[in-house]
Amino acid sequence: MLMRTDPFREMDRIVQQLSGASATWSKPSVMPMDAYREGDEYVIAFDLPGVSTEAIDIDVERNMLRVKAERRPAAKADTVQMELSERPLGVFSRQVVLADTLDTERIRADYDAGVLTLRIPIAERAKPRKVSIGRTDGHQQISG
């Protein structure tokens, strides 16, 4: 049996439920994420602990990336009596507008240790490049 040592924890849980901070099946909750550039890739990492890969849906339409995941309660035997349940359940989703400089045709997704990592290559047209300077013979034509 677990003993609660924080008398305000239950109050915090109730406030989260009333404010809509917890995920439900009808009202998705936002999942935490990090985004950064690493070399020639843009990386987005989403925290999804306890979510199976089958419950994660990723889609891209034009430059809108949508990630949706669902965490359902674990199946319990009839003899199990829940003493404490603080892990959020329900639907989690996130929409991210991607820059036109990213190659959305080549997104890679990996899921490890509860973290979904998307790697999006920087498009060739957006990479820095040298511009050569042409030489002219020095004559300009003036039309009048």
Side-chain angles (χ1 to χ4, degrees), residues 1-4 10 80-86:
M1 180 195 260
L2 296 174
M3 300 298 289
R4 293 184 202 194
E10 188 66 16
V80 174
Q81 180 179 347
M82 185 63 91
E83 294 289 331
L84 179 64
S85 179
E86 294 181 347

Side-chain angles (χ1 to χ4, degrees), residues 3-9:
M3 300 298 289
R4 293 184 202 194
T5 57
D6 184 357
F8 298 104
R9 186 177 302 243

Side-chain angles (χ1 to χ4, degrees), residues 93-108:
S93 69
R94 194 75 185 244
Q95 292 186 354
V96 180
V97 178
L98 302 175
D100 291 334
T101 57
L102 299 176
D103 186 354
T104 58
E105 297 293 321
R106 296 179 26 220
I107 296 176
R108 290 188 338 264

